[in-house]
Amino acid sequence: MIAKAKLATKPRKSPSQERSRATVDAIMQASTYILNEVGWGGLNTNAIAERAGVNIASLYQFFPNKQAVIAELQRRHVTSIRADIQHALQNISNQPTLRVALTVIVEMVVKEHQSAPEVHKAISEELPLSQRCKQYDQGEMLKEMVNALLPFMKNVPDPQLATYMVGISIKAIVHQVTNQRPELLNHSSLVDELVTLMERFLIRE
Amino acid sequence: MIAKAKLATKPRKSPSQERSRATVDAIMQASTYILNEVGWGGLNTNAIAERAGVNIASLYQFFPNKQAVIAELQRRHVTSIRADIQHALQNISNQPTLRVALTVIVEMVVKEHQSAPEVHKAISEELPLSQRCKQYDQGEMLKEMVNALLPFMKNVPDPQLATYMVGISIKAIVHQVTNQRPELLNHSSLVDELVTLMERFLIRE
Amino acid sequence: MIAKAKLATKPRKSPSQERSRATVDAIMQASTYILNEVGWGGLNTNAIAERAGVNIASLYQFFPNKQAVIAELQRRHVTSIRADIQHALQNISNQPTLRVALTVIVEMVVKEHQSAPEVHKAISEELPLSQRCKQYDQGEMLKEMVNALLPFMKNVPDPQLATYMVGISIKAIVHQVTNQRPELLNHSSLVDELVTLMERFLIRE
Amino acid sequence: MIAKAKLATKPRKSPSQERSRATVDAIMQASTYILNEVGWGGLNTNAIAERAGVNIASLYQFFPNKQAVIAELQRRHVTSIRADIQHALQNISNQPTLRVALTVIVEMVVKEHQSAPEVHKAISEELPLSQRCKQYDQGEMLKEMVNALLPFMKNVPDPQLATYMVGISIKAIVHQVTNQRPELLNHSSLVDELVTLMERFLIRE
DNA sequence: TATGAATGAGCGTTCATTCAT
DNA sequence: CATGAATGAACGCTCATTCAT
């Protein structure tokens, strides 16, 4: 018997009282802990509740189902970095040179990975892609990035495509480096090289 | 109680007769099917056996546990593309220009994604990273790529790092495009642009 | 592949409400029933839960595994008779003659076998010895028995050994008689003869 | 669902050929090994066959089912010691004194435990009693023992009962000592004391 | 409302036994 | 007939979720 289901992922009620918020926070923290220490296979609602120190029935008073817990986990992470992202993107156009603009972007992505590395790692490495919130990976920033970078480009036949490629590359490289060779992030040469990779691609002379 | 365990993932018995090889093949095929149609969450040994049309106990005569089934799935995929990879890598140095060499590499990666796209997608998008075989993601090809590309580079301060970055970028972009915008692969412009991205990074004049 | 494993046998949760105590009791009762009616081979957790009228998952909320159920079964039986044993042992020294003292002991053992005969039979005949709780067979009472009987002995070269032998004999005879020829227990001659066997061994004139 | 079944326990065919005998022997040896090293819980036909180095289907050509394997194991053990037992029993009446006669019996029982200690331990400690062949525990020797010992008894009100008790005691003590304190068997005092226990019970002056 | 208890459905795995070459 | 393969029926145990106090 093979079946697939879609469930509501909205939190059941907004934690208005302090007590409630603490409970939800504990659930989020516990979920992150388990994802990192045990992995996706160990992430079950009973374990989350136990680790969080809340009763399993309480968990279900704040979340309609397991999916909602996972969704909230991602929503929180996205929210926590969205401000940074927005801020960075808006500043890009004001930068004097492409090099500076790209540096801003790269550093933003790095920051994104370092702000809550466990959460990020848990989400990006343990959650099967089918469990991911659309918003999470999907760069809404793409359009904004295109607009921001367009003025700097020279001889780029398809700016949209180029931006797409640039976005993917930056994310992928920063992600891999963060998880496989974090020591490289300390040497500025990585950021430099990343910026160079993009710069030479977007300005072709 | 939170615990993590590692199990042997080697096949239990290698099928010697043809009948059993068919059984194992059916298991592999069924696993792939389920990963694609239902996702990681629906991949359980009973479902695999049922879909494969074999008894669950037969599955366990050839695989000591579920992990081993998953591992074999990955092993087979890696094996099936390793030949192509080896061949491509050995030919790189013989290419006249960097542009041609890079094109060979990119096309190899594209081929890798297209040879068994469902398997590849299933493994790379559904399997939590902690379930992946080490060999799978690990680019042994990195060293070889460095050697092959080194003669072509100009003004690259850290060829090792550059190659690492190039490798990640190509994989990431081809992967994302394959899964999100497969129509782009038909227009040669993507490959062209990818090659351009790399070429301008490795030859800086 | 041949392997042996030891698992924790401590109860997982102690039932705090009355409802759950009833559940645990039902599980114990069902286990005893199955051991008696079907035997060790039929003692599986699903059957226990079904017979107890509780959900299988409930069973596992109070017992971490099957072993724990079996262990608890034994623990309860031991506990239920320990009081009698203690009481009897403490009274031995106060008896006027060896004959009376031995009678007390024998009657205690008989009582032990009759207090919960099904449980006792199930445990002692169906449980492979490797499944037994250490405490169960282990006579802690040996030391106490030695001390109690010592003053009565005459010409016994090794009182320790003699007590050991006496203990084994009483248990074995009562056990076998209980299970094979229970009608003998009604005739007081058996107890008499048992006492005589011991008396003549411990007082040699 | 609770059910109980009785199956035929006769070997399917007598191993006439040499090859066959070797196979059966290997199966017996493997069963004993597993019983001792893993216990009753690990004794399954697949494991037996694997350990014996024979195909599982071959096992079922010599034994109709698992019960038959177990039965044969016991039958062989009984057979291997029956000669000794018969011999000893027939000699009892010819002994000059009760003390010598009892010594013969005790030494016979000791020998029985030492002749194939693993087999004996496996059968007596791991096999649930419901798996035992009737013949095994059941002393047919009882009647013979009564007859043999009767001439020596003095003032024993119920010789039948006394013999029954004596038989149980000897077996139980030797068994326990063998398994718990084997070092005691070397000191002759144990046998001496055992004989004394019986002697003073059967001759009351 | 917070909590201990409960549960249906199902998953990973085993085992006694039979089939087919 | 010896062997690899196959299988039905369980069994131990878990998990997402709900009930009841």
Side-chain angles (χ1 to χ4, degrees):
Chain A
M1 222 73 2
I2 294 176
K4 197 188 224 167
K6 285 277 174 187
L7 298 168
T9 56
K10 294 292 171 74
R12 181 170 279 174
K13 76 182 219 182
S14 60
S16 50
Q17 300 149 19
E18 271 204 44
R19 175 76 169 268
S20 304
R21 177 165 268 296
T23 299
V24 171
D25 285 350
I27 291 169
M28 292 294 104
Q29 204 175 324
S31 301
T32 305
Y33 176 87
I34 294 173
L35 273 179
N36 279 310
E37 297 302 310
V38 194
W40 168 250
L43 190 73
N44 63 70
T45 52
N46 288 299
I48 293 171
E50 186 183 347
R51 171 88 201 167
V54 313
N55 187 280
I56 178 67
S58 294
L59 185 152
Y60 276 91
Q61 257 173 354
F62 295 110
F63 299 94
N65 51 49
K66 182 182 174 180
Q67 301 286 334
V69 177
I70 298 166
E72 175 68 3
L73 197 66
Q74 295 172 76
R75 209 185 55 72
R76 287 196 171 204
H77 185 227
V78 170
T79 300
S80 80
I81 57 179
R82 198 197 301 277
D84 283 339
I85 294 177
Q86 295 298 341
H87 183 258
L89 283 176
Q90 280 161 4
N91 274 18
I92 290 175
S93 331
N94 305 329
Q95 303 305 325
T97 66
L98 175 60
R99 188 150 196 100
V100 178
L102 288 169
T103 305
V104 168
I105 293 179
V106 170
E107 280 170 347
M108 176 194 77
V109 176
V110 171
K111 195 173 173 186
E112 178 184 336
H113 279 77
Q114 287 179 328
S115 75
E118 307 116 21
V119 183
H120 189 265
K121 184 170 184 180
I123 293 174
S124 58
E125 306 216 319
E126 281 302 321
L127 278 188
L129 207 139
S130 52
Q131 303 289 334
R132 305 259 181 90
C133 288
K134 296 291 164 284
Q135 50 175 0
Y136 192 80
D137 291 278
Q138 207 152 351
E140 308 168 4
M141 33 180 278
L142 183 62
K143 291 159 296 183
E144 303 185 49
M145 261 180 68
V146 175
N147 292 332
L149 294 178
L150 201 51
F152 295 109
M153 298 193 197
K154 283 187 187 162
N155 293 325
V156 175
D158 186 339
Q160 184 102 20
L161 176 62
T163 311
Y164 182 56
M165 292 167 62
V166 163
I168 293 173
S169 282
I170 295 178
K171 271 202 168 180
I173 292 172
V174 171
H175 181 77
Q176 292 265 66
V177 168
T178 302
N179 292 323
Q180 292 180 356
R181 304 189 177 183
E183 75 279 5
L184 287 182
L185 284 172
N186 300 331
H187 303 298
S188 65
S189 59
L190 177 84
V191 175
D192 258 17
E193 284 291 279
L194 242 176
V195 169
T196 298
L197 174 64
M198 304 308 153
E199 183 188 32
R200 293 185 58 80
F201 182 55
L202 297 179
I203 299 184
R204 308 184 193 172
E205 294 178 316
Chain B
M1 222 113 314
I2 295 176
K4 195 191 232 164
K6 286 279 173 188
L7 297 167
T9 54
K10 292 296 163 70
R12 178 175 274 175
K13 261 185 192 178
S14 33
S16 60
Q17 297 181 11
E18 199 181 338
R19 185 161 51 132
S20 52
R21 213 168 308 127
T23 297
V24 171
D25 286 349
I27 290 168
M28 292 293 102
Q29 207 175 320
S31 302
T32 306
Y33 175 87
I34 293 173
L35 270 179
N36 280 315
E37 298 302 310
V38 194
W40 168 252
L43 190 73
N44 65 70
T45 52
N46 287 302
I48 293 172
E50 187 182 345
R51 171 88 203 167
V54 310
N55 188 281
I56 178 65
S58 290
L59 185 154
Y60 279 93
Q61 262 192 347
F62 298 105
F63 299 96
N65 50 50
K66 182 182 173 179
Q67 301 282 338
V69 177
I70 296 165
E72 176 68 4
L73 199 64
Q74 296 172 73
R75 211 186 53 73
R76 287 196 173 205
H77 185 229
V78 169
T79 301
S80 80
I81 57 180
R82 199 195 302 276
D84 282 339
I85 294 177
Q86 295 298 338
H87 184 257
L89 282 176
Q90 280 159 4
N91 275 18
I92 290 175
S93 333
N94 305 328
Q95 304 306 325
T97 67
L98 176 60
R99 186 149 197 100
V100 179
L102 287 169
T103 304
V104 169
I105 293 179
V106 170
E107 279 171 348
M108 176 194 78
V109 176
V110 170
K111 195 173 172 187
E112 179 184 334
H113 279 76
Q114 286 179 328
S115 77
E118 311 112 23
V119 182
H120 189 267
K121 182 172 181 179
I123 293 174
S124 58
E125 306 215 321
E126 284 300 323
L127 277 187
L129 205 141
S130 51
Q131 305 288 333
R132 305 255 183 92
C133 284
K134 299 291 165 282
Q135 50 175 355
Y136 194 80
D137 291 279
Q138 204 154 354
E140 310 167 5
M141 30 179 282
L142 183 61
K143 292 159 294 184
E144 302 186 49
M145 264 181 64
V146 175
N147 292 332
L149 294 177
L150 200 50
F152 295 110
M153 299 192 197
K154 283 188 187 164
N155 294 325
V156 174
D158 186 341
Q160 185 102 20
L161 176 62
T163 311
Y164 182 57
M165 291 167 62
V166 163
I168 293 173
S169 283
I170 294 179
K171 273 200 165 180
I173 291 172
V174 171
H175 181 77
Q176 292 265 65
V177 168
T178 303
N179 291 324
Q180 292 179 355
R181 303 189 176 181
E183 75 280 5
L184 287 181
L185 284 172
N186 299 332
H187 303 299
S188 64
S189 58
L190 178 83
V191 175
D192 259 17
E193 285 291 280
L194 242 176
V195 170
T196 299
L197 174 64
M198 305 308 152
E199 183 188 33
R200 293 185 59 79
F201 183 54
L202 298 179
I203 299 184
R204 310 184 192 171
E205 292 178 314
Chain C
M1 220 115 312
I2 295 176
K4 195 190 226 166
K6 287 276 174 189
L7 296 168
T9 54
K10 294 297 163 72
R12 177 176 277 175
K13 261 186 191 179
S14 34
S16 59
Q17 297 180 9
E18 199 180 338
R19 186 162 49 132
S20 51
R21 213 168 307 125
T23 297
V24 171
D25 286 349
I27 290 168
M28 292 294 101
Q29 206 174 321
S31 302
T32 305
Y33 176 87
I34 294 173
L35 270 180
N36 280 315
E37 297 303 310
V38 195
W40 169 252
L43 190 72
N44 65 71
T45 52
N46 288 304
I48 294 171
E50 187 182 346
R51 171 89 203 166
V54 310
N55 187 281
I56 177 66
S58 291
L59 185 154
Y60 279 95
Q61 261 192 347
F62 298 105
F63 300 96
N65 50 50
K66 182 181 171 179
Q67 301 283 338
V69 177
I70 297 164
E72 176 68 5
L73 199 63
Q74 295 172 72
R75 211 185 54 72
R76 287 194 173 205
H77 185 229
V78 170
T79 301
S80 80
I81 57 180
R82 199 196 301 276
D84 283 339
I85 295 178
Q86 296 298 340
H87 184 257
L89 283 176
Q90 280 160 3
N91 276 17
I92 291 175
S93 333
N94 305 329
Q95 304 305 325
T97 66
L98 176 60
R99 187 149 195 100
V100 180
L102 288 169
T103 305
V104 168
I105 293 179
V106 170
E107 280 171 348
M108 174 193 79
V109 176
V110 170
K111 194 172 173 187
E112 178 184 334
H113 279 75
Q114 287 179 329
S115 76
E118 311 112 22
V119 182
H120 189 266
K121 182 171 180 179
I123 293 175
S124 58
E125 306 216 321
E126 283 299 323
L127 277 187
L129 205 140
S130 51
Q131 305 288 334
R132 304 256 182 90
C133 285
K134 297 291 163 283
Q135 50 174 357
Y136 194 80
D137 292 277
Q138 205 154 352
E140 308 168 6
M141 32 179 280
L142 183 61
K143 291 160 295 184
E144 303 185 49
M145 264 181 65
V146 175
N147 292 332
L149 296 177
L150 202 50
F152 295 110
M153 299 192 197
K154 283 189 188 161
N155 293 325
V156 174
D158 186 342
Q160 184 102 19
L161 176 63
T163 311
Y164 182 57
M165 291 167 62
V166 162
I168 294 173
S169 283
I170 295 179
K171 272 201 166 181
I173 292 171
V174 172
H175 180 79
Q176 292 265 63
V177 168
T178 303
N179 292 324
Q180 292 180 356
R181 304 189 176 182
E183 75 280 6
L184 287 181
L185 284 172
N186 300 331
H187 304 298
S188 65
S189 59
L190 177 84
V191 175
D192 260 15
E193 284 292 279
L194 242 176
V195 170
T196 299
L197 174 65
M198 304 308 152
E199 184 188 32
R200 293 185 58 77
F201 182 54
L202 298 179
I203 299 182
R204 309 183 194 172
E205 293 177 316
Chain D
M1 223 78 351
I2 294 176
K4 195 190 230 166
K6 285 277 174 188
L7 298 168
T9 55
K10 295 289 170 75
R12 181 169 281 173
K13 75 181 217 182
S14 60
S16 51
Q17 298 150 19
E18 272 203 42
R19 175 77 169 269
S20 305
R21 177 164 268 297
T23 299
V24 171
D25 285 351
I27 291 169
M28 292 295 103
Q29 204 176 325
S31 301
T32 305
Y33 176 87
I34 294 173
L35 273 178
N36 279 310
E37 297 301 310
V38 195
W40 168 250
L43 190 73
N44 63 71
T45 52
N46 288 299
I48 293 171
E50 185 183 347
R51 170 90 201 166
V54 313
N55 188 280
I56 177 66
S58 294
L59 184 152
Y60 277 90
Q61 258 173 355
F62 295 109
F63 299 95
N65 51 49
K66 182 183 175 180
Q67 301 285 335
V69 177
I70 297 166
E72 175 68 5
L73 197 65
Q74 294 171 77
R75 209 185 56 72
R76 287 196 171 203
H77 186 227
V78 169
T79 301
S80 80
I81 57 180
R82 197 196 302 277
D84 283 339
I85 293 176
Q86 296 298 339
H87 184 257
L89 283 176
Q90 280 159 4
N91 275 17
I92 290 175
S93 331
N94 306 327
Q95 303 306 325
T97 66
L98 176 59
R99 188 151 196 98
V100 178
L102 288 169
T103 306
V104 169
I105 293 179
V106 170
E107 279 171 348
M108 176 194 77
V109 176
V110 170
K111 194 173 172 186
E112 178 184 335
H113 278 76
Q114 287 179 329
S115 76
E118 307 117 22
V119 183
H120 189 266
K121 184 171 183 181
I123 293 174
S124 59
E125 306 216 320
E126 282 301 321
L127 278 187
L129 206 140
S130 51
Q131 304 289 334
R132 306 256 181 91
C133 287
K134 298 290 163 284
Q135 49 174 1
Y136 193 81
D137 291 278
Q138 205 151 353
E140 308 168 4
M141 34 180 278
L142 184 61
K143 293 158 294 184
E144 303 185 48
M145 262 180 68
V146 175
N147 292 332
L149 295 176
L150 200 51
F152 295 109
M153 299 193 197
K154 283 188 188 162
N155 295 325
V156 174
D158 186 341
Q160 184 101 19
L161 177 61
T163 312
Y164 182 57
M165 291 167 62
V166 163
I168 293 173
S169 283
I170 295 179
K171 270 202 168 179
I173 292 171
V174 171
H175 180 79
Q176 292 265 66
V177 168
T178 303
N179 292 324
Q180 292 180 357
R181 302 188 177 182
E183 75 280 5
L184 288 181
L185 285 172
N186 301 330
H187 303 300
S188 64
S189 59
L190 177 82
V191 175
D192 259 17
E193 284 291 282
L194 242 175
V195 170
T196 298
L197 174 64
M198 305 307 153
E199 184 188 32
R200 292 184 60 79
F201 183 55
L202 297 180
I203 299 183
R204 310 183 192 171
E205 295 178 315

